[in-house]
Amino acid sequence: MPLPLHRQSPPQWDDSLFETVVAAAINGVLAVNEHGLVSVFNAACETMFQYRREEVLGHGIAMLLASPYREEYEERLRRYQQTGVAEGAGKGRELVARRNDGTTFPIFLSIGEGMHDGRRTFVVVIQDLTDLQLERAMHAEQRAFLAAIVDSSNDAIISKTLDGKITTWNRAAEELFGYSAEEIIGTPVTRLFPEDRLHEEAQILDRIRAGHALEHYETVRIKKDGTLVDVSVTVSPVRDVKGNVIGASKTVRDITEKKLAEARLQTLSAELSHVARLSEMGQVSAAIAHELNQPLTAVLNYTNVAKRLIASTDAAAKAKSYEAVSKAGDQALRAGQIIRRLRDFVEKRESTRTLEDINAVTEDALALGLIGTPTADIKVITAFAPDLDPLLIDKVQIQQVLVNLLRNAAEAMAESERHELTVTTAAVNGTGILVSVADTGCGVSDDLAERLFRPFVTTKTGGMGIGLAISRSIIESHGGRLTMVPNQGGGTVFQFILPVAQRLVD
Ligand code: ADP
C-alpha cells in the first residue's frame, strides 16, 4: 500500500542505540537540532573537518561547507525556520566540504530526520569522497590514456558485438576503410567483407563465442570505395566482469606493402633458383650432349639398317626393317624426353604451386639428376611410400633440390668403394612427408657440417657452393626443413620434410 502523502510523525530516537552507532561510525555523523545548530559531532567528523567537537557544537552546519554550498545551506536554514519544511531531508548528494584550515574536500552528505527529547532532529551522515574521486580521476585518466593509444594506433582497432555489429571504430580504421565512426558504428561488420569472404564472419564469431582468439589471420577486406585491401586480422573475445564473452575486439593491419614485398622476394628467389638451375645444368651440359648423342646415334644406326633391309626384296628382311624403324622411333622418343625434362628444368618461370605426387616428382629428379655424374655404376635403391597425400609445391623447385642432393651424393661417392644411393619417401605423423637421399660417400667433417648450408661453401674445384643454400631456402619457403645427418654405414643422409597443406582457419 502506498504511503499517504501527508507528513508522518518522525520516529522516536533510542538514545543508547543512537550513541553507540554514532561513536562506532566510520563515516562522519552529526546531528542538527530544530534551530539548525549542530548538537552531535562524532569522532570521525573531528578527523574529517579538523575541528574539535566544542568548536562546532551550537554552530550552524554551514560552517562545515565550502561555497556555494555554505550559502545555500544558510538559505535553507532560514527557509526552514520560516516554513518548518526541511528541504533535502531523507536525501543524499555530493558537495564540497571545508576543513578548519580552509582546505576543501568532496563529500557525500545525507540527511535523515527523527525526534529526540521530543524535538525534531536531523541526522547528517558524511562520507569523505576524496579517495573515491581520486580513483575516479585515475580511471578517467587511464581511460583517456587507453583511448589515446587506440586513437594513435596505426592499426585499425574495431570492436563488435556478438551479433557482428560494430561498436567502436578508431582513427586508423577510418583511414584504412574510408568510413567515419559515425557512419559505421552500429552497422554490421560484414560491410567490410568482400562477398567471397562472407563465410569467414561466422567462423570468426564461432571462435570468439567459444572464448578463443584468432591471431594474424591473413585475408582480404573491402574499403568504402570498393577497393580490396590485404589485411592481417587479430580478433580477441571481450568479456564482462563475470567473464562472459560479450563481443570481440579486432586489430586490422594493412599488409599491402608486406604482400608486395613478399611477391618481390618470391620473384627474386625464383630468379635466384633459376640461375642456380642454369649453373647446375651448365656443369652437366657436356654430359647431357653425350646422353643425347646415344639415342641419336642409335636412331641413325637403326635407320641405316632399315634402309638396307628395305632395299632387299626378302620378306623376312621387311619384318626386320619394320622392327628397326620402331626401335629408331623409341630412341627418338627417349631423346625427346631428355630434352623436354631439361627444358622444363632450366626454363625461366614464375613460381607456381600445384598439388603434386612427391613420388613422381622424385622419379623425374632421379632421371635428370644422375646424368653424367663422375661416379659409375651407382646402385640406386628407391623405397617410396604408397598413398602419400599430395603436396602443394613448386614442382620444378623441389626437383631442383632433389637434383642438387642427388648430384652431390653421386659426386661424394666418386672415391668410395660402395656406390649406393638410397632415396626414400615416408609420411610423418600425418602432418608432413619426409624425403631422404642417403649416400655411401666420403661423409662430412664436423667443421664442414656447421657451414654446409651457407652460401659459397664448397670443397669442390669449380664448385659454386650455392646448391645447398638455395635448396634450404626453397624447402623453408615451402614451410619445411632441410637437414643433414651422418649415414650409419658411412656417408651422409640429406633429408627434408614438407608439410601437407592445412586449412587457414580451423
Ligand atoms: P657445391 O656442390 O657447388 O660445392 P653445395 O652447396 O651443393 O655446393 O654443397 C656444398 C658442399 O657440401 C660441397 O662442396 C661438399 O663439400 C658438401 N657436400 C654436399 N653434399 C654432400 C654429400 N652428399 N656428401 C659429402 N659432402 C657433401
Side-chain angles (χ1 to χ4, degrees):
M1 202 177 100
L3 285 172
L5 282 174
H6 61 82
R7 275 178 74 83
Q8 296 280 296
S9 53
Q12 286 294 320
W13 294 111
D14 174 334
D15 271 354
S16 62
L17 184 61
F18 177 67
E19 270 161 35
T20 321
V21 170
V22 168
I26 303 167
N27 285 328
V29 179
L30 54 84
V32 177
N33 65 19
E34 58 188 341
H35 304 296
L37 305 176
V38 176
S39 57
V40 171
F41 196 73
N42 78 342
C45 273
E46 288 189 314
T47 316
M48 219 183 274
F49 290 95
Q50 296 169 1
Y51 277 114
R52 275 176 289 116
R53 174 183 315 226
E54 315 77 85
E55 293 175 290
V56 181
L57 293 181
H59 293 273
I61 187 180
M63 71 180 284
L64 302 173
L65 301 175
S67 287
Y69 306 102
R70 167 187 290 245
E71 293 75 17
E72 185 189 326
Y73 271 73
E74 275 167 351
E75 180 56 31
R76 276 191 188 190
L77 177 62
R78 256 195 302 282
R79 278 206 297 272
Y80 170 67
Q81 279 166 344
Q82 284 164 7
T83 62
V85 178
E87 293 165 42
K91 286 189 200 146
R93 63 185 289 206
E94 280 186 29
L95 38 75
V96 183
R98 181 178 183 279
R99 296 190 190 89
N100 193 3
D101 64 3
T103 54
T104 59
F105 61 106
I107 57 167
F108 187 83
L109 179 145
S110 41
I111 303 179
E113 190 181 353
M115 294 296 284
H116 187 235
D117 285 345
R119 292 171 163 187
R120 281 179 85 181
T121 303
F122 301 98
V123 175
V124 181
V125 178
I126 296 165
Q127 188 188 350
D128 186 342
L129 295 183
T130 310
D131 290 347
L132 192 76
Q133 288 214 341
L134 271 178
E135 224 168 274
R136 277 186 201 158
M138 257 160 57
H139 278 153
E141 208 172 285
Q142 272 171 358
R143 264 203 303 274
F145 184 60
L146 288 178
I149 291 177
V150 168
D151 220 46
S152 59
S153 160
N154 285 330
D155 292 340
I157 301 177
I158 304 166
S159 52
K160 62 177 179 186
T161 56
L162 276 187
D163 56 2
K165 295 251 166 55
I166 296 172
T167 44
T168 68
W169 185 256
N170 74 343
R171 197 185 40 74
E174 292 191 343
E175 273 167 25
L176 176 58
F177 292 106
Y179 292 102
S180 70
E182 297 79 65
E183 68 186 308
I184 203 155
I185 286 178
T187 66
V189 73
T190 43
R191 277 175 98 173
L192 310 173
F193 288 55
E195 219 158 293
D196 59 340
R197 302 276 178 164
L198 279 172
H199 62 278
E200 289 179 0
E201 175 64 353
Q203 290 178 346
I204 293 172
L205 283 176
D206 278 352
R207 275 186 82 97
I208 292 299
R209 277 197 203 95
H212 301 304
L214 179 69
E215 285 184 7
H216 309 301
Y217 173 52
E218 294 197 357
T219 181
V220 179
R221 292 290 177 259
I222 191 164
K223 300 185 186 192
K224 186 180 177 185
D225 64 10
T227 51
L228 297 174
V229 55
D230 287 309
V231 291
S232 160
V233 185
T234 295
V235 194
S236 327
V238 173
R239 296 169 192 276
D240 64 10
V241 276
K242 289 186 199 139
N244 301 320
V245 178
I246 51 163
S249 77
K250 51 166 86 187
T251 354
V252 186
R253 176 168 297 183
D254 182 349
I255 53 166
T256 312
E257 277 302 314
K258 184 180 158 229
K259 284 274 172 197
L260 284 177
E262 266 174 17
R264 276 198 294 269
L265 204 64
Q266 216 171 28
T267 315
L268 272 181
S269 74
E271 274 175 12
L272 186 62
S273 35
H274 177 234
V275 170
R277 285 201 298 278
L278 285 182
S279 113
E280 193 89 53
M281 285 301 114
Q283 286 171 29
V284 293
S285 56
I288 285 169
H290 170 73
E291 190 78 7
L292 284 177
N293 216 24
Q294 278 182 349
L296 291 177
T297 315
V299 169
L300 206 63
N301 291 342
Y302 285 128
T303 44
N304 281 338
V305 171
K307 250 198 287 180
R308 254 185 284 121
L309 289 169
I310 290 167
S312 85
T313 51
D314 188 352
K318 273 202 180 131
K320 276 194 175 165
S321 69
Y322 179 80
E323 193 187 324
V325 172
S326 311
K327 281 186 175 162
D330 290 348
Q331 291 299 319
L333 271 180
R334 208 185 124 210
Q337 263 171 3
I338 294 176
I339 292 173
R340 201 171 320 112
R341 278 210 187 94
L342 192 68
R343 201 187 46 215
D344 284 351
F345 193 70
V346 293
E347 202 176 49
K348 187 167 161 49
R349 45 185 276 291
E350 301 262 302
S351 173
T352 44
R353 296 200 177 174
T354 42
L355 280 177
E356 299 289 343
D357 168 12
I358 190 71
N359 290 344
V361 174
T362 312
E363 284 277 17
D364 268 4
L366 272 165
L368 205 60
L370 296 179
I371 295 176
T373 55
T375 319
D377 312 326
I378 295 177
K379 185 176 169 204
V380 181
I381 305 157
T382 51
F384 293 162
D387 304 327
L388 290 174
D389 282 331
L391 294 176
L392 188 63
I393 53 171
D394 182 319
K395 177 178 154 182
V396 173
Q397 286 191 351
I398 298 300
Q399 264 179 15
Q400 175 175 1
V401 172
L402 281 160
V403 165
N404 183 239
L405 297 183
L406 293 167
R407 297 191 66 75
N408 277 349
E411 282 165 16
M413 292 191 290
E415 311 281 306
S416 18
E417 274 177 26
R418 281 169 61 217
H419 298 166
E420 261 175 45
L421 184 65
T422 312
V423 183
T424 47
T425 59
V428 189
N429 40 347
T431 58
I433 291 176
L434 176 104
V435 182
S436 83
V437 176
D439 63 56
T440 52
C442 57
V444 170
S445 69
D446 288 351
D447 168 53
L448 181 62
E450 277 187 17
R451 299 175 294 126
L452 212 56
F453 292 98
R454 291 192 209 148
F456 311 118
V457 171
T458 182
T459 55
K460 299 170 193 166
T461 32
M464 291 245 302
I466 55 167
L468 286 178
I470 288 181
S471 295
R472 178 170 267 187
S473 80
I474 289 176
I475 295 297
E476 286 178 356
S477 76
H478 280 76
R481 182 111 187 88
L482 171 65
T483 51
M484 189 275 300
V485 286
N487 197 357
Q488 295 298 338
T492 52
V493 183
F494 281 84
Q495 55 191 23
F496 58 85
I497 295 182
L498 289 173
V500 290
Q502 275 178 348
R503 287 200 304 142
L504 278 177
V505 179
D506 52 13

